[in-house]
Amino acid sequence: MCGVIGCFAKNGFQLNASHHIAVKQGLKYLELRGPDAQSIINIDNGNLILGHTRLAIIDLSPESNQPFTHDNKSFLSFNGEIYNFKELSKQYFRDEKLSTNSDTEILYYIFLKQMNLIKKIEGMFAGCFYDGENIMLFRDPMAIKPLYYYEDEEIIFFSSSLRLFKELEFFKNLELDQLAKTSFILNGHLDQGLTPFESTSEVKPGEVLTISPDGSKKSLIFDNSKEIFKQKEIKNFNLDFTSLIDCSVNKHLVSDVPVALMYSAGLDSNLIAKSMSKYTDVNAFTIGFDSFKATKYDEVPLAKKIAISEGYSFHHEYLSDEQILSNFNIYLDNLDTLSIDGLNTWMVCKYISSMGYKVAISGAGGDEIFQGYSNFLYIKWLNKFINLVPSFVRNVISTLIPSRNRKFRKLKNSIKANSIEELYFIKRSLFDIELLCDYFDSDQVPYLYQQILDYKFKSFELPNVRNEIQVSSLEYHFYCRNQLLRDADWASMAHSLELRVPLVDKVLYQNAVALRNSYPMNDKYSYYEQYFPKLSKDLFSKQKTGFGIPLLPIVGGSDSYEYNYQQLLDNVFYSVTGRRI
């Protein structure tokens, strides 16, 4: 895992000292993403400045450092891992005189000689390839790794870090994007494609964006995650649930350094642990909180019990409220995107990194693809209600529901929804239109609310499949990749740790959708019970609590959820943008 940065001149403009300073300062800011090696090169008479910070995981030798080149004409700087690079090398690059044992060199040759092979890549990746004339900004189809860019009439400036645009003096005059602000208030994170700053964008998932010296752009969507959820039922399906999980987990263990496991008393991390144990020793790490001790929210006792019984090496620590608050202030300094939900990941990654690890595995994504959330059942039944009851009747029923608190208002709005997408957006929103009135003029609010709904609808195509698969598609596209994966990236990189997510894998998703269509089951529990060897029975009798932190009352200091939430929003927004919300 690494950090990518660069600046490309267009329309005949010549980069000057200010651009060199900005890239150099940005590279220093990205050092946590790659503490093992840093490099900046000037290419094409100064028309491109390309930088890279390296976290060495595969082929630890300096020959694999980036920016990578074989001919001093074309260069690659990327962030991520290509898990099937050895298979691609044997199949397609057997005749090349490879100088390393790295995935970097294979990706370099893919861009240099066989761009069509990018569809065959299994991994997480984002970066820049320079072909001697144009730059190509690219990103993996599952949106696991980020890449942002700023554009004006003269330059394209790109980076793995979003917050960098706030930190660098070069970008001090960037205006805030009001649609992104609206998205953050309602979601607690940003919708895909939005950034808090005007003139800055995000490379799309599964995109290669080619930018020429004359400023023209060509976008190639090489792989679309939307297609995954259109998988139909497969007859004589011969890949069982155990094989599906093991194939993905084993693939994600490719590394030349030890791999740790982010562990809890939940089903997902225990599924990953059970699978990992078939291939390597399991070093499991979890954290607990003093204020949760002796409550159902304390994950440590059950996690320890299961880990010991399975023969895992178990590590844990408890944090007091004072330590959480102290960590929160450091977390805000590291925060790289508008998100209110990454502190738990950040703290576990800090713990794992402090024990000397560079790579960890996470069970994130299991709920989205194997219907683990209560949203699946809630939306299923409300959607049936919406389809059966005429809208005018539902509107009358909604008038009978009081509007005195957030939960009642969400139910009121859900009953009036006209589609499964709208129903999902209402259910997933942390707040509703009333909260926007605290941040915008009241006459602006209806327009802004409709604008964000239109943006969501425009960016998503609901697959014509079963209801449960539709909800999985919504969960992945609007929650998993917009919050879980973004948090996994920056929260791990803040501690120079690569976090891998085998349950958010292109091949696994394709096979999981086919499996679910072939053998429909009620929920995640039903699928996970099929795994062999069997998972601990204690996991199935335990009430789902999630990996939570007693953060809101600590930050806000109030009994009011709304007040505490708004305090958290403001802290996060100020940290990332330098301005109050």
Side-chain angles (χ1 to χ4, degrees):
M1 203 66 69
C2 310
V4 175
I5 191 169
C7 188
F8 180 64
K10 60 179 187 172
N11 297 327
F13 182 74
Q14 191 72 31
L15 299 181
N16 57 42
S18 66
H19 302 101
H20 285 264
I21 291 171
V23 174
K24 187 175 181 179
Q25 290 175 339
L27 194 75
K28 182 66 177 176
Y29 182 78
L30 293 176
E31 188 173 0
L32 286 174
R33 284 182 170 267
D36 295 330
Q38 297 85 39
S39 179
I40 297 178
I41 57 175
N42 296 305
I43 307 168
D44 192 17
N45 297 318
N47 287 329
L48 171 63
I49 310 168
L50 189 60
H52 188 267
T53 65
R54 184 185 183 198
L55 183 65
I57 291 170
I58 293 178
D59 187 350
L60 310 185
S61 69
E63 285 74 23
S64 293
N65 288 350
Q66 302 179 47
F68 185 90
T69 183
H70 265 310
D71 56 14
N72 287 315
K73 295 178 182 178
S74 49
F75 296 84
L76 171 69
S77 177
F78 97 102
N79 166 30
E81 301 291 353
I82 311 302
Y83 301 126
N84 64 333
F85 77 98
K86 291 181 180 179
E87 292 81 0
L88 292 172
S89 176
K90 290 178 183 177
Q91 190 168 357
Y92 299 104
F93 301 108
R94 189 177 301 170
D95 296 332
E96 299 293 344
K97 294 181 179 179
L98 301 179
S99 60
T100 74
N101 295 309
S102 71
D103 57 340
T104 299
E105 189 170 16
I106 299 306
L107 185 60
Y108 172 83
Y109 273 118
I110 286 175
F111 273 99
L112 187 67
K113 297 188 174 184
Q114 298 195 52
M115 258 278 287
N116 60 305
L117 294 182
I118 197 169
K119 287 186 176 182
K120 295 184 178 293
I121 292 176
E122 296 175 24
M124 52 181 181
F125 52 93
C128 173
F129 181 79
Y130 177 68
D131 65 3
E133 181 180 6
N134 313 295
I135 61 169
M136 301 177 190
L137 305 181
F138 57 89
R139 190 176 177 208
D140 69 79
M142 299 303 286
I144 300 173
K145 305 310 298 178
L147 189 65
Y148 306 96
Y149 64 95
Y150 162 86
E151 181 177 15
D152 60 26
E153 292 299 316
E154 299 173 338
I155 66 165
I156 300 284
F157 194 106
F158 52 91
S159 169
S160 299
S161 167
L162 175 62
R163 181 171 174 159
L164 180 141
F165 295 106
K166 171 242 183 181
E167 297 294 335
L168 296 183
E169 183 71 14
F170 188 86
F171 300 104
K172 65 180 180 180
N173 294 322
L174 288 181
E175 296 294 328
L176 295 180
D177 184 276
Q178 295 303 301
L179 185 62
K181 180 178 173 180
T182 305
S183 173
F184 175 57
I185 293 169
L186 290 174
N187 300 325
H189 60 261
L190 293 176
D191 283 293
Q192 192 71 213
L194 295 178
T195 77
F197 308 109
E198 292 184 350
S199 302
T200 62
S201 303
E202 184 178 38
V203 177
K204 297 175 184 176
E207 179 181 37
V208 176
L209 179 63
T210 302
I211 305 169
S212 302
D214 63 4
S216 61
K217 294 200 287 286
K218 180 181 178 181
S219 175
L220 168 68
I221 303 298
F222 63 87
D223 212 341
N224 196 329
S225 59
K226 295 175 184 177
E227 298 301 315
I228 290 173
F229 295 92
K230 296 179 182 179
Q231 300 286 322
K232 299 297 183 181
E233 179 179 339
I234 298 178
K235 295 181 179 180
N236 300 319
F237 192 83
N238 59 7
L239 183 64
D240 62 21
F241 182 76
T242 300
S243 300
L244 181 116
I245 299 301
D246 288 349
C247 287
S248 187
V249 169
N250 188 31
K251 176 173 61 181
H252 283 73
L253 292 174
V254 173
S255 175
D256 291 331
V257 298
V259 179
L261 172 66
M262 184 182 291
Y263 190 64
S264 71
L267 275 170
D268 297 318
S269 65
N270 276 279
L271 177 71
I272 300 296
K274 197 83 165 182
S275 182
M276 279 182 69
S277 69
K278 297 178 180 180
Y279 309 104
T280 186
D281 294 335
V282 177
N283 289 285
F285 294 81
T286 192
I287 58 174
F289 307 100
D290 286 346
S291 58
F292 282 172
K293 283 184 177 179
T295 74
K296 66 179 181 180
Y297 299 106
D298 187 3
E299 297 273 311
V300 174
L302 182 56
K304 182 177 181 179
K305 174 186 174 184
I306 296 173
I308 291 174
S309 69
E310 296 287 352
Y312 309 151
S313 179
F314 180 73
H315 313 267
H316 76 284
E317 67 175 0
Y318 276 97
L319 299 175
S320 66
D321 286 356
E322 291 75 19
Q323 287 174 304
I324 294 173
L325 190 57
S326 174
N327 273 308
F328 180 68
N329 293 325
I330 305 171
Y331 153 89
L332 288 176
D333 290 336
N334 291 158
L335 191 60
D336 195 67
T337 186
L338 291 180
S339 172
I340 64 165
D341 196 31
L343 182 58
N344 49 2
T345 302
W346 182 90
M347 287 196 295
V348 181
C349 288
K350 179 183 178 183
Y351 180 36
I352 294 173
S353 177
S354 72
M355 301 296 284
Y357 285 86
K358 286 185 177 182
V359 182
I361 301 283
S362 165
D367 286 318
E368 288 75 15
I369 190 59
F370 291 114
Q371 44 189 119
Y373 293 128
S374 60
N375 289 353
F376 284 88
L377 196 57
Y378 177 92
I379 292 173
K380 175 181 179 179
W381 290 109
L382 260 181
N383 190 52
K384 285 186 176 182
F385 173 78
I386 287 169
N387 290 332
L388 288 172
V389 181
S391 60
F392 75 91
V393 177
R394 289 187 281 114
N395 287 335
V396 172
I397 294 173
S398 71
T399 63
L400 304 176
I401 300 174
S403 303
R404 61 176 176 265
N405 64 40
R406 178 177 56 93
K407 290 184 178 180
F408 280 129
R409 290 197 301 273
K410 291 187 78 168
L411 178 59
K412 189 185 189 81
N413 291 329
S414 294
I415 288 175
K416 293 190 291 184
N418 293 310
S419 67
I420 191 171
E421 298 102 312
E422 189 177 354
L423 182 59
Y424 173 82
F425 298 148
I426 293 168
K427 180 71 172 77
R428 262 296 180 188
S429 294
L430 296 180
F431 264 94
D432 56 19
I433 194 169
E434 286 203 10
L435 182 65
L436 292 178
C437 295
D438 292 341
Y439 299 96
F440 301 99
D441 292 337
S442 56
D443 56 343
Q444 280 187 289
V445 167
Y447 167 76
L448 289 170
Y449 188 74
Q450 188 59 50
Q451 192 179 25
I452 197 65
L453 287 179
D454 291 344
Y455 181 86
K456 288 175 181 284
F457 280 119
K458 183 180 178 181
S459 67
F460 179 73
E461 176 188 344
L462 189 71
N464 184 24
V465 291
R466 292 188 300 112
N467 175 274
E468 292 84 355
I469 305 293
Q470 288 181 329
V471 178
S472 276
S473 181
L474 287 161
E475 286 285 6
Y476 165 71
H477 285 99
F478 291 100
Y479 176 66
C480 182
R481 74 177 186 178
N482 292 352
Q483 185 156 53
L484 287 185
L485 296 180
R486 283 178 179 156
D487 288 342
D489 173 74
W490 76 261
S492 59
M493 288 286 86
H495 304 293
S496 304
L497 182 77
E498 176 176 285
L499 192 58
R500 300 177 177 182
V501 283
L503 297 183
V504 188
D505 176 82
K506 179 177 69 173
V507 176
L508 178 135
Y509 260 50
Q510 289 169 339
N511 290 331
V513 171
L515 179 69
R516 288 175 58 188
N517 278 323
S518 298
Y519 306 105
M521 296 186 184
N522 292 330
D523 52 28
K524 185 173 79 172
Y525 290 86
S526 303
Y527 287 103
Y528 282 35
E529 284 177 334
Q530 307 305 309
Y531 189 80
F532 185 82
K534 294 292 186 182
L535 301 180
S536 170
K537 292 181 180 179
D538 291 336
L539 295 167
F540 296 94
S541 58
K542 172 182 173 288
Q543 181 181 349
K544 182 178 176 63
T545 59
F547 180 34
I549 294 178
L551 177 63
L552 280 181
I554 295 174
V555 173
S558 169
D559 293 332
S560 167
Y561 175 90
E562 286 82 358
Y563 176 82
N564 292 337
Y565 175 71
Q566 289 180 297
Q567 293 302 302
L568 180 58
L569 281 177
D570 190 55
N571 274 296
V572 168
F573 195 81
Y574 180 77
S575 176
V576 175
T577 68
R579 280 159 275 191
R580 294 296 176 187
I581 197 168

